[in-house]
């Protein structure tokens, strides 16, 4: 019996069959039982610089001894927090952006959504309260993120925030129609994952992002890039918004900013949004923030993480490897269990199980992920029945080839009828 209530888990099944990971090293993790796995997921999409980085551990240890944390409310700050804000501002997709720190991705989404509404209140357009989101979207699990979920089952429990509308994930025409129907002047913001992550790794169709950006610009609403997954090198640049020229008004980030060595998140606010709050004499205090916003030691982890990425060119590496990963996985599309392979943008892909097989047997994605683990590869079943591929950015070309082989071996096992997986449901972050 375990006392640990696992997120997104059927505890009746997970209880007693936990997979306990003990160590990590590069793109691999090692279980308590000594088994070594190639981690195809970089944990929950975050371990961009790979496991076992002693430089981060040493800097974190030294900071914990000096000052583990001091808050940043009002006029207080700590030096690492100030430095990380400067550092992130210097690589932001929009020049002169300001950095509002949070403690994770869901915090960042709620922060951005609240800021969008507060911004329009401040600039005299208080009727702009609606926020648009896309089918398949995953924007975390706080109240706003839950309301903004494009994965229907993640909204179970009732409507938390009513001022939300969901549009198709891939149609600019449908977005334009929704804007017309709701009234452009009522819309505060459009949330967009430049490459959809937890909803099954769905790169936007050609032309979609450009067209959607123009539609949102014309409404006067804010464009919010949710870069909790795509930020910090996952798609071959510091931010996907830079790669795709999205000119975002707000950017949410978390995960890769520290590679998960300590939890941290934040929101980048472009000059448009920041200015009404920074103007001398405006007296526009934004009454928002979290106890652990910009946690001192988490920011040290962030600074060393970014040093490593820069020194080793990891922020560009996904661009170099995206073709390699896609070519390695593409042949799996012929496998009897597979419908298609999605990816080709950064170190992000999904091996989508055949939807008709998933419909006939909803346990298949979980079983396939467990069978891959048996073969030595950690992957996860995403919403819609795709298997997640998002390895650490330090993965080598040889390890990418190995990843594809292990995935095939796992699929073969699953096709041969591997046992039921432990409580995995196909609708997780
Ligand atoms: N936004 C996106 C795009 C995500 O993928 C996630 C988590 O996977 C979140 C927000 C929520 O982040 P967190 O789990 O750190 O709260």
């Amino acid at each position: 019996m375990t006392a640990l209530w696992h997120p997104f888990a059927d505890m009746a099944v997970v209880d007693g069959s936990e997979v306990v990971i003990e160590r990590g090293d590069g793109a691999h993790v090692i279980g308590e039982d000594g088994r070594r796995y190639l981690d195809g997921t970089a944990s929950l999409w975050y371990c961009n610089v790979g496991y076992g980085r002693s430089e981060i551990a040493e800097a974190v240890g030294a900071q914990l001894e000096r000052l583990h944390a001091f808050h940043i409310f009002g006029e207080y700050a700590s030096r690492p927090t100030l430095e990380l804000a400067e550092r992130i501002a210097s690589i932001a997709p929009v020049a002169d952006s300001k950095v509002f720190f949070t403690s994770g991705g869901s915090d960042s989404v709620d922060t951005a959504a609240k800021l969008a509404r507060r911004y329009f209140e401040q600039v005299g357009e208080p009727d702009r309260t609606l926020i648009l989101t896309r089918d398949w979207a995953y924007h975390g699990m706080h109240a706003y993120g839950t309301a903004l979920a494009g994965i229907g089952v993640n909204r179970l429990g009732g409507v938390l925030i009513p001022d939300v509308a969901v549009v198709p994930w891939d149609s600019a025409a449908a977005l334009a129609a929704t804007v017309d129907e709701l009234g452009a002047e009522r819309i505060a913001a459009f949330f967009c994952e430049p490459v959809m992550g937890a909803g099954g790794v769905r790169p936007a169709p050609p032309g979609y992002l450009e067209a959607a950006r123009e539609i949102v610009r014309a409404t006067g609403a804010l464009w919010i890039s949710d870069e909790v997954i795509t930020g910090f090198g996952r798609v071959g640049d510091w931010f996907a918004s830079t790669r795709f020229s999205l000119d975002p008004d707000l950017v949410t980030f978390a995960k890769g900013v520290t590679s998960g060595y300590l939890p941290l998140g934040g929101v980048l606010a472009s000059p448009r949004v920041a200015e009404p709050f920074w103007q001398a004499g405006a007296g526009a205090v934004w009454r928002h923030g979290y106890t652990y916003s910009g946690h001192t030691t988490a920011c040290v982890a962030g600074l060393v993480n970014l040093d490593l990425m820069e020194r080793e060119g990891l922020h560009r590496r996904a661009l170099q490897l995206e073709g390699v990963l896609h070519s390695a996985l593409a042949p799996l599309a012929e496998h009897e269990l597979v419908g298609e392979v999605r990816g080709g943008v950064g170190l992000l892909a999904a091996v989508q199980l055949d939807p008709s097989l998933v419909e006939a047997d909803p346990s298949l994605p979980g079983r396939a992920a467990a069978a891959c683990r048996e073969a030595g590869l950690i992957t996860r079943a995403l919403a819609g029945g795709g298997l997640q591929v998002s390895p650490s950015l330090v993965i080598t070309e040889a390890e990418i080839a190995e990843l594809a082989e292990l995935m095939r071996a796992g699929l073969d096992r699953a096709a041969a009828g591997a046992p039921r997986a432990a409580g995995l449901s196909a609708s997780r972050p």
Side-chain angles (χ1 to χ4, degrees):
M1 284 279 252
T2 180
L4 176 64
W5 191 338
H6 293 243
F8 286 86
D10 178 346
M11 286 312 300
V13 183
V14 166
D15 194 7
S17 43
E18 290 148 311
V19 180
V20 185
I21 302 299
E22 194 208 15
R23 281 176 293 135
D25 160 27
H28 288 82
V29 290
I30 296 112
E32 240 178 16
D33 58 1
R35 276 211 70 182
R36 186 173 166 85
Y37 303 95
L38 179 56
D39 180 8
T41 58
S43 189
L44 278 180
W45 324 84
Y46 58 68
C47 192
N48 289 6
V49 299
Y51 296 94
R53 293 292 201 154
S54 48
E55 256 180 83
I56 301 182
E58 282 157 20
V60 160
Q63 184 63 46
L64 287 174
E65 290 198 14
R66 190 177 313 124
L67 171 74
H68 72 285
F70 201 81
H71 77 84
I72 59 170
F73 279 28
E75 67 272 43
Y76 285 99
S78 58
R79 187 54 58 192
T81 310
L82 290 166
E83 281 178 10
L84 187 61
E86 290 299 330
R87 188 80 174 270
I88 296 172
S90 76
I91 55 173
V94 176
D96 299 321
S97 289
K98 303 296 185 188
V99 181
F100 194 100
F101 280 120
T102 68
S103 358
S106 298
D107 281 3
S108 303
V109 166
D110 268 36
T111 296
K114 282 180 66 181
L115 181 53
R117 290 184 58 162
R118 180 72 180 83
Y119 164 79
F120 281 115
E121 197 179 64
Q122 186 63 26
V123 299
E125 294 186 72
D127 291 339
R128 284 193 187 266
T129 57
L130 293 176
I131 303 195
L132 305 186
T133 182
R134 296 156 74 207
D135 273 333
W136 293 117
Y138 184 83
H139 295 300
M141 286 283 108
H142 287 357
Y144 249 118
T146 302
L148 290 165
I151 300 166
V153 286
N154 287 352
R155 287 196 302 268
L156 290 178
V159 175
L160 293 176
I161 296 169
D163 289 349
V164 162
V166 185
V167 298
W169 73 278
D170 54 351
S171 165
L175 171 62
T178 302
V179 165
D180 284 346
E181 188 191 320
L182 298 174
E185 69 294 345
R186 294 280 335 278
I187 298 168
F190 176 64
F191 261 85
C192 180
E193 289 167 86
V195 177
M196 219 140 221
V201 183
R202 296 169 201 274
Y208 172 82
L209 289 172
E210 296 88 322
R213 183 66 190 97
E214 276 322 303
I215 291 163
V216 172
R217 200 189 305 282
T219 66
L222 302 184
W223 177 283
I224 304 177
S225 288
D226 185 347
E227 297 231 29
V228 168
I229 287 176
T230 54
F232 300 97
R234 179 56 59 194
V235 298
D237 206 328
W238 286 118
F239 292 95
S241 296
T242 307
R243 177 165 177 184
F244 300 122
S245 307
L246 295 178
D247 188 27
D249 297 299
L250 293 170
V251 177
T252 54
F253 67 85
K255 300 189 189 276
V257 66
T258 58
S259 292
Y261 277 80
L262 284 173
L264 184 71
V267 176
L268 276 161
S270 65
R272 172 188 178 190
V273 179
E275 202 253 351
F277 299 93
W278 286 60
Q279 223 172 36
V285 174
W286 187 32
R287 300 191 63 81
H288 181 80
Y290 304 103
T291 295
Y292 298 129
S293 281
H295 185 280
T296 311
T297 305
C299 286
V300 167
L303 284 165
V304 182
N305 178 59
L306 297 189
D307 282 345
L308 291 170
M309 291 192 77
E310 220 160 72
R311 193 188 320 145
E312 297 173 12
L314 296 177
H315 56 305
R316 302 242 180 271
R317 190 167 160 74
L319 198 59
Q320 294 147 12
L321 289 180
E322 68 185 13
V324 177
L325 179 67
H326 201 53
S327 308
L329 295 176
L332 293 175
E334 306 305 321
H335 193 277
E336 61 187 293
L337 295 186
V338 175
E340 63 173 350
V341 174
R342 287 188 294 271
V345 184
L347 280 179
L348 271 177
V351 176
Q352 173 66 50
L353 301 182
D354 184 330
S356 61
L357 297 178
V358 175
E359 198 183 343
D361 175 8
S363 76
L364 177 63
R367 281 198 296 111
C372 288
R373 188 172 65 239
E374 281 308 305
L377 172 70
I378 293 187
T379 178
R380 294 185 328 130
L382 297 169
L387 297 180
Q388 174 180 339
V389 179
S390 59
S392 290
L393 305 180
V394 295
I395 194 167
T396 63
E397 294 200 25
E399 286 167 339
I400 288 177
E402 185 192 346
L403 188 158
E405 279 165 30
L406 295 175
M407 178 79 81
R408 180 179 294 282
L411 290 167
D412 286 346
R413 273 171 182 259
R420 272 186 77 84
L424 302 173
S425 75
S427 52
R428 305 168 310 138

